């Protein structure tokens, strides 16, 4: 039996986990869609209700059946979201229903399908980006504020969320030449724990890869009326509130930069003054208003987001080591701008 | 020991009699022919075709370095000579993702004809009982052997087959569940024998059908003759631009004048493939559009039902180009644009 048939049978069998209180379709259409290319990532298939022509499920099949960390992480995220979040306004944009099946020892993740097309396609002008962000950012604020845990950056919290990532980063990447990791950046990281010690932040849930490729949007008569955030395998339940917001603005700046190199678009679109930076600062101010983190602490902690990205892209799930340099270049640029502003 | 018991016993590619395995060769008692084992690889061939992504002066060095150290080390050492695209092409295991459409499983035996760099075989090895990799280049097979050794894969067997004859496989009748022909069928026509490429391709498909078990499946990844790329003049398989669009007789005439040799790497339209496969005896034939190409099947767009490809254009495409928006506004997604697809993924049942 092909994986195509196996997955169709599994969806039928677990229909109630995906779409409770509805009847499964008589037949499905299986469509293998794009996914990450690393040897340990998942192959993704979309299943349609053959009669209604609508996507009803997504199946994530391990490319390497011995390596299922990614889909297990995503299933844990779905379970946590299902159990911990009961606000329907937050849940409405997350495909949290699903099941991790074990088919003759091969784990396959089934999820209710998110509907819409990638937001990337709509990011064609300042106006369209502003309209998208206007709807998506308030959801992000609500998601991050939900049960966020107030704490002071000291002792274990400072160690776990600030000192340890820096130490790990320096142990793994500190050997690179100063052409790659600037001396300013090294100095910055050596002083960072002391600089933020005693600051109050709220630890919160983070999607981990919140960007335009992972956001599906639905339009009606040219107006955005729904969006869904997919790909939750980098989800964390307790994290500094600097990751998602920075990632959303940083990785999307590359899309707005046309043919620019990622670090060039980061500098010219996000770090240099302009409409996109204004949008970014407004979003940080909203975090401050909601008591997640104050603006200065957000800016000070932002390089920790780049540190996390260096680890993310080098993990076996992604296997994108070739982009580490880009993240370090962005880190240097960010720290330059930060130090200039501080003067 | 168990793995060995599970393996298929090779037969003589010429007379199909069971071969007797000796230390350095396979003996066919019926033909009284010895098929040598070179570098641990059975050589069911009398001639060889050399092809590589590495230039000819480097290929041997890469192969020897891979045998002495590791495949990855050898490829990385000479990576600068092949460029980033080719480097990714020979490393990327997601190129085998079409396999979700095939009836793999722990009991399935797979034959990968023209296994090249082995990315596909490596990826499939964890999804089947045993995979056989055949190729026409001993150098490539040696590299492949190093790669399999490094990955500690014990369910992969490698053999060389003859490029300059009709395809003759060293397998008994009805012994294999799945055959892969990814980017290979077109090259089969280039065999140096005095027969038309179409006939060579037909005979190859018949030979594959012979070794397939009942209900066995063949998967073919191949270019479309009248694709947007060929219509724009892209050179496919090193042939002259546009010439492949003309009737074969004219194509051959022009190619002979310009290049001094016939056009041999035949590719077809969808109906051409359907006819060829039908003549070879295959029954259920399903077409897919591998997007962006069969080399990188990120999407495997089924052509049936037809609304799926429309869904793909309207919902899944990430293109932000004005050209895309323009064609979309014209209702392009409703047109049978698959006629112009770059390539096809074809799945057929014996």
């Amino acid at each position: 039996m092909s994986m195509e048939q196996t997955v169709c049978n599994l969806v039928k069998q677990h229909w109630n986990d995906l779409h409770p209180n509805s009847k499964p379709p008589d037949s499905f259409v299986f469509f293998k869609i794009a996914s990450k290319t690393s040897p340990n990532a998942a192959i993704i298939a979309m299943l349609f209700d053959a009669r209604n022509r609508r996507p009803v499920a997504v199946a994530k099949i391990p490319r390497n059946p011995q390596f299922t960390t990614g889909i297990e992480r995503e299933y844990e995220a779905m379970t946590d979201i299902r159990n911990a979040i009961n606000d329907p306004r937050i849940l409405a944009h997350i495909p949290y229903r699903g099941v991790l099946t074990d088919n003759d020892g091969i784990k396959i993740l089934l999820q209710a399908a998110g509907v819409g097309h990638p937001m990337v396609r709509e990011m064609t002008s300042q106006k369209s980006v502003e309209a998208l962000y206007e709807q998506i950012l308030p959801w992000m604020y609500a998601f991050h504020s939900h049960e966020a845990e107030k704490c002071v950056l000291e002792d274990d919290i400072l160690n776990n969320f600030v000192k340890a990532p820096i130490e790990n980063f320096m142990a793994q990447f500190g050997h690179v030449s100063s052409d790659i990791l600037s001396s300013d950046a090294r100095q910055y990281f050596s002083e960072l724990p002391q600089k933020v010690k005693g600051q109050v932040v709220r630890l919160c849930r983070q999607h981990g890869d919140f960007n335009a490729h992972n956001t599906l949007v639905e339009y009606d008569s040219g107006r955005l009326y729904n969006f869904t955030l997919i790909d939750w395998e980098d989800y964390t339940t307790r994290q500094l509130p600097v990751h998602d917001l920075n990632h959303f603005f940083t990785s999307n700046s590359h899309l707005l930069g046309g043919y620019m190199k990622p670090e060039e678009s980061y500098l010219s679109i996000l770090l240099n003054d302009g409409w996109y930076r204004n949008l970014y600062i407004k979003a940080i101010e909203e975090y401050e208003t909601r008591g997640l983190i104050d603006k200065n602490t957000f800016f000070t902690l932002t390089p920790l987001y780049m540190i996390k990205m260096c680890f993310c892209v080098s993990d076996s799930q992604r296997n994108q080591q070739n982009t580490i340099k880009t993240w370090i270049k962005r880190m240097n640029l960010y720290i330059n701008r930060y130090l200039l502003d501080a003067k | 020991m168990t793995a060995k018991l599970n393996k298929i016993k090779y037969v003589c590619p010429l007379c199909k009699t069971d071969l007797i395995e000796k230390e350095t060769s396979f003996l066919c008692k019926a033909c009284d022919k010895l098929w040598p084992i070179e570098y641990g690889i059975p050589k069911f061939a009398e001639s060889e075709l050399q092809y590589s992504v590495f230039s000819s002066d480097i290929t041997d060095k890469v192969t020897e370095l891979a045998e002495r150290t590791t495949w990855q080390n050898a490829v990385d050492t000479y990576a600068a000579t092949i460029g980033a695209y080719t480097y990714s092409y020979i490393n990327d295991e997601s190129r085998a993702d079409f396999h979700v459409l095939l009836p793999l499983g722990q009991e399935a035996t797979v034959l990968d004809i023209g296994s090249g760099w082995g990315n596909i075989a490596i990826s499939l090895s964890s999804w089947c009982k045993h995979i056989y990799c055949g190729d026409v280049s001993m150098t490539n097979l040696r590299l492949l052997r190093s790669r399999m050794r490094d990955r500690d894969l014990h369910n992969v067997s490698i053999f060389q087959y003859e490029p300059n004859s009709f395809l003759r496989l060293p397998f008994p009748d009805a012994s294999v569940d799945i055959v892969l022909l990814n980017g290979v069928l077109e090259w089969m026509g280039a065999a140096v024998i005095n027969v038309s490429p179409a006939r060579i391709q037909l005979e190859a498909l018949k030979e594959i059908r012979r070794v397939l078990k009942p209900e066995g499946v063949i998967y073919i990844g191949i270019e479309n003759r009248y694709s947007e790329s060929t219509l724009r003049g892209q050179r496919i398989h090193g042939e002259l631009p546009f010439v492949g669009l003309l009737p074969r007789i004219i194509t051959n005439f022009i190619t002979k004048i310009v290049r001094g040799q016939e056009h041999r790497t035949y590719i077809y339209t969808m109906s051409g493939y359907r006819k060829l496969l039908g003549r070879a005896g295959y029954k259920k034939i399903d077409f897919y559009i591998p997007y962006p190409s069969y080399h990188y099947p990120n999407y495997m767009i089924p052509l049936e039902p037809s609304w799926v490809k429309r869904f793909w254009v309207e919902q899944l495409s990430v293109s932000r180009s004005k050209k895309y928006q323009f064609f979309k506004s014209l209702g392009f997604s409703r047109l049978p644009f698959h006629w112009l697809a770059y390539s096809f993924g074809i799945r057929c049942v014996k």
Side-chain angles (χ1 to χ4, degrees):
Chain A
M1 191 186 289
S2 67
M3 189 52 76
E4 178 182 12
Q5 288 163 311
T6 303
V7 168
C8 291
N9 291 347
L10 285 172
V11 170
K12 203 157 206 174
Q13 197 183 325
H14 295 281
W15 184 257
N16 217 33
D17 293 312
L18 305 171
H19 302 281
N21 309 320
S22 67
K23 221 180 122 213
D26 296 331
S27 59
F28 297 99
V29 174
F30 178 96
F31 181 10
K32 184 239 166 261
I33 60 173
S35 50
K36 293 187 183 92
T37 57
S38 89
N40 295 326
I43 301 173
I44 306 179
M46 187 175 262
L47 276 92
F48 295 85
D49 174 342
R51 197 162 62 88
N52 293 331
R53 303 179 180 187
R54 278 182 67 82
V56 290
V58 164
K60 296 198 171 178
I61 306 152
R63 184 165 289 127
N64 174 351
Q66 278 86 46
F67 198 97
T68 52
T69 316
I71 60 175
E72 283 173 36
R73 280 199 310 224
E74 183 151 14
Y75 182 64
E76 279 165 23
M78 292 161 70
T79 309
D80 178 70
I81 289 165
R82 223 170 22 227
N83 294 337
I85 302 179
N86 47 19
D87 182 342
R89 287 166 303 177
I90 298 177
L91 289 176
H93 304 286
I94 308 174
Y96 61 91
R97 289 190 202 280
V99 59
L100 186 62
T101 65
D102 190 324
N103 188 58
D104 287 341
I106 295 168
K107 286 182 176 157
I108 296 172
L109 177 67
L110 304 178
Q111 295 173 304
V115 182
H117 60 267
M119 173 183 153
V120 179
R121 221 164 74 189
E122 302 297 335
M123 295 179 63
T124 50
S125 64
Q126 178 182 341
K127 203 176 149 197
S128 67
V129 171
E130 284 173 344
L132 285 160
Y133 281 36
E134 199 178 299
Q135 295 231 20
I136 293 166
L137 290 176
W139 180 85
M140 193 196 278
Y141 307 142
F143 171 62
H144 289 156
S145 304
H146 185 81
E147 291 179 350
E149 172 197 343
K150 196 171 184 174
C151 62
V152 181
L153 290 177
E154 58 186 8
D155 303 329
D156 281 354
I157 301 282
L158 187 68
N159 277 332
N160 295 342
F161 293 97
V162 182
K163 281 185 184 166
I166 293 172
E167 281 166 14
N168 292 341
F169 174 74
M170 293 313 285
Q172 197 167 330
F173 303 103
H175 62 278
V176 297
S177 70
S178 55
D179 296 346
I180 299 171
L181 181 64
S182 71
S183 48
D184 279 349
R186 289 170 202 264
Q187 175 81 13
Y188 186 92
F189 285 126
S190 69
E191 293 167 359
L192 181 58
Q194 202 51 41
K195 212 183 270 181
V196 294
K197 190 174 178 184
Q199 295 296 327
V200 177
V201 297
R202 289 173 76 192
L203 300 176
C204 59
R205 292 187 171 80
Q206 296 275 295
H207 174 277
D209 196 9
F210 200 138
N211 65 38
H213 285 285
N214 287 336
T215 311
L216 302 180
V217 291
E218 283 181 276
Y219 278 74
D220 188 24
S221 312
R223 229 184 98 76
L224 173 70
Y225 77 93
N226 192 22
F227 64 90
T228 307
L229 196 56
I230 58 169
D231 266 359
W232 288 79
E233 68 189 44
D234 295 309
Y235 174 77
T236 44
T237 51
R238 206 164 168 257
Q239 185 54 267
L240 294 172
V242 296
H243 191 91
D244 281 352
L245 185 65
N246 269 312
H247 193 55
F248 193 62
F249 275 89
T250 304
S251 60
N252 292 356
S253 70
H254 179 39
L255 297 167
L256 297 170
Y259 293 104
M260 279 189 230
K261 285 183 181 167
E263 60 273 19
E264 286 171 3
S265 54
Y266 179 63
L267 176 65
S268 72
I269 295 170
L270 186 58
L271 293 188
N272 289 347
D273 294 337
W275 67 271
Y276 195 68
R277 183 165 176 84
N278 292 343
L279 216 56
Y280 175 60
I281 291 175
K282 219 173 119 192
I284 298 166
E285 285 167 352
E286 185 61 35
Y287 268 42
E288 190 170 47
T289 310
R290 287 172 178 255
L292 279 164
I293 187 167
D294 74 77
K295 196 172 156 184
N296 286 337
T297 311
F298 185 97
F299 282 131
T300 311
L301 289 172
T302 286
L304 290 180
Y305 147 69
M306 280 114 171
I307 282 185
K308 184 158 186 293
M309 286 313 298
C310 288
F311 286 114
C312 257
V313 296
S314 58
D315 98 351
S316 55
Q317 197 65 29
R318 280 205 170 72
N319 203 18
Q320 297 170 329
Q321 279 86 346
N322 54 335
T323 61
I324 290 172
K325 271 189 190 168
T326 299
W327 285 104
I328 297 180
K329 281 178 190 166
R330 281 174 171 153
M331 191 186 279
N332 293 334
L333 290 167
Y334 180 86
I335 290 169
N336 276 350
R337 163 88 205 217
Y338 179 90
L339 294 175
L340 270 178
D341 284 351
K343 277 181 191 165
Chain B
M1 188 66 189
T2 320
K4 197 158 188 175
L5 286 174
N6 283 334
K7 281 168 72 171
I8 299 171
K9 275 194 86 178
Y10 287 127
V11 299
C12 175
L14 302 177
C15 69
K16 314 299 180 203
T17 307
D18 283 355
L19 291 174
I20 299 162
E21 188 172 355
K22 306 222 160 206
E23 212 166 290
T24 56
S25 62
F26 282 93
L27 169 69
C28 174
K29 275 197 166 173
C31 312
D32 198 23
K33 185 160 177 59
L34 274 179
W35 298 100
I37 300 173
E38 291 181 5
Y39 305 100
I41 300 166
K43 184 180 165 85
F44 300 113
E46 276 159 358
S47 65
E48 171 154 14
L49 198 72
Q50 289 287 3
Y51 73 98
S52 178
V53 294
F54 294 99
S55 59
S56 52
D57 54 324
I58 288 175
T59 308
D60 285 342
K61 290 181 191 165
V62 179
T63 310
E64 281 154 23
L65 185 59
E67 284 171 344
R68 267 190 292 117
T69 61
T70 63
W71 181 89
Q72 197 65 57
N73 175 50
V75 169
D76 288 351
T77 303
Y78 292 95
T81 66
I82 55 174
Y85 177 87
T86 309
Y87 180 81
S88 151
Y89 180 76
I90 63 176
N91 269 283
D92 189 349
E93 289 168 33
S94 73
R95 290 185 47 220
D97 283 359
F98 59 81
H99 77 69
V100 289
L101 302 168
L102 305 175
L104 291 160
Q106 289 315 309
E107 291 307 309
T109 303
V110 180
L111 167 59
D112 182 10
I113 300 178
S115 49
W117 299 97
N119 326 27
I120 290 171
I122 286 176
S123 195
L124 260 61
S125 63
S126 44
W127 292 97
C128 64
K129 182 173 80 176
H130 204 95
I131 182 159
Y132 293 85
C133 298
D135 206 278
V136 290
S137 157
M138 182 53 87
T139 316
N140 278 2
L141 288 168
R142 283 170 62 192
L143 262 175
L144 179 57
R145 198 179 63 132
S146 303
R147 195 174 186 178
M148 300 302 171
R149 174 206 61 199
D150 299 344
R151 298 288 288 258
D152 204 20
L153 298 177
H154 298 290
N155 64 340
V156 182
S157 299
I158 299 171
F159 68 94
Q160 187 183 5
Y161 67 89
E162 171 62 51
N164 292 317
S165 77
F166 289 120
L167 179 67
R168 289 179 184 134
L169 295 169
F171 295 96
D173 294 358
S175 54
V176 174
D177 296 281
I178 297 165
V179 175
L180 307 177
L181 217 49
N182 203 41
V184 176
L185 184 64
E186 62 276 33
W187 292 105
M188 284 179 159
V192 186
I193 45 175
N194 195 18
V195 183
S196 85
R199 166 91 196 284
I200 301 171
Q201 290 168 328
L202 177 66
E203 294 303 322
L205 291 170
K206 284 182 179 169
E207 171 69 352
I208 289 167
R209 193 170 177 277
R210 177 187 70 77
V211 302
L212 275 174
K213 290 179 185 170
E215 300 300 313
V217 167
I218 177 174
Y219 172 82
I220 301 170
I222 195 163
E223 285 85 358
N224 177 11
R225 185 177 178 191
Y226 296 125
S227 68
E228 192 217 7
S229 305
T230 55
L231 290 170
R232 276 191 290 111
Q234 190 185 325
R235 295 174 71 127
I236 303 280
H237 310 124
E239 300 286 359
L240 299 169
F242 299 112
V243 174
L245 303 170
L246 302 168
R248 302 283 190 207
I249 192 165
I250 302 173
T251 306
N252 276 336
F253 179 72
I254 297 173
T255 313
K256 249 185 188 170
I257 290 175
V258 178
R259 302 181 58 186
Q261 59 190 48
E262 278 186 337
H263 169 82
R264 305 284 299 181
T265 51
Y266 280 18
I267 50 176
Y268 304 85
T269 60
M270 213 161 81
S271 69
Y273 289 120
R274 210 179 275 283
K275 263 186 222 161
L276 188 68
L277 287 158
R279 283 171 62 201
Y282 294 91
K283 40 186 191 191
K284 192 174 179 304
I285 304 171
D286 296 318
F287 278 85
Y288 293 82
I289 301 176
Y291 183 85
S293 74
Y294 72 87
H295 299 298
Y296 287 102
N298 287 351
Y299 295 89
M300 287 297 288
I301 309 165
L303 291 190
E304 290 297 334
S306 60
W307 52 262
V308 180
K309 63 181 191 302
R310 199 157 70 232
F311 180 92
W312 175 74
V313 174
E314 290 174 0
Q315 296 291 316
L316 295 178
S317 164
V318 292
S319 176
R320 290 183 293 152
S321 73
K322 286 187 176 146
K323 191 169 85 176
Y324 167 78
Q325 300 293 349
F326 173 72
F327 282 119
K328 197 171 152 238
S329 68
L330 291 181
F332 143 83
S333 64
R334 292 183 178 273
L335 300 174
F337 65 91
H338 57 277
W339 290 352
L340 298 178
Y342 174 78
S343 58
F344 298 120
I346 312 169
R347 179 183 64 180
C348 336
V349 179
K350 181 176 176 180

